[in-house]
Amino acid sequence: MNDPIVTMTLALAALAALAMLTFATLTGWRGWLSYKLEQLHAGGNANAGPALPNASARIEIADLKERIRKLEAIAAGVDL
């Protein structure tokens, strides 16, 4: 085990492993930072949950649900 080639090979393998680990860690860190930067630019709070739709969107959804209900009644043969 005192062979210098074996020692050099182990040292280079350890250095390569450390370089790969460092690269993966830095890539993850940059990704996390860009994610947080996008959150800041969007002005949203990640813990606030999804935003509620505005009133016009809710009215439109209710209208569509009513149309679907009427079409289902027509398909079932029920007079409205």
Side-chain angles (χ1 to χ4, degrees):
M1 190 72 172
N2 290 334
D3 189 18
I5 294 176
V6 172
T7 305
M8 185 64 83
T9 304
L10 289 175
L12 288 175
L15 184 63
L18 181 63
M20 287 188 283
L21 182 64
T22 303
F23 179 75
T25 304
L26 286 176
T27 302
W29 176 250
R30 288 183 191 133
W32 184 81
L33 284 177
S34 66
Y35 171 71
K36 288 298 182 180
L37 186 63
E38 287 178 18
Q39 278 185 343
L40 286 174
H41 286 303
N45 187 355
N47 299 327
L52 295 175
N54 59 15
S56 63
R58 287 184 285 184
I59 292 171
E60 187 174 342
I61 290 171
D63 184 43
L64 290 173
K65 286 181 181 179
E66 181 67 24
R67 287 183 188 178
I68 290 172
R69 189 178 61 79
K70 287 180 181 178
L71 288 173
E72 288 174 345
I74 292 170
V78 177
D79 288 331
L80 294 175

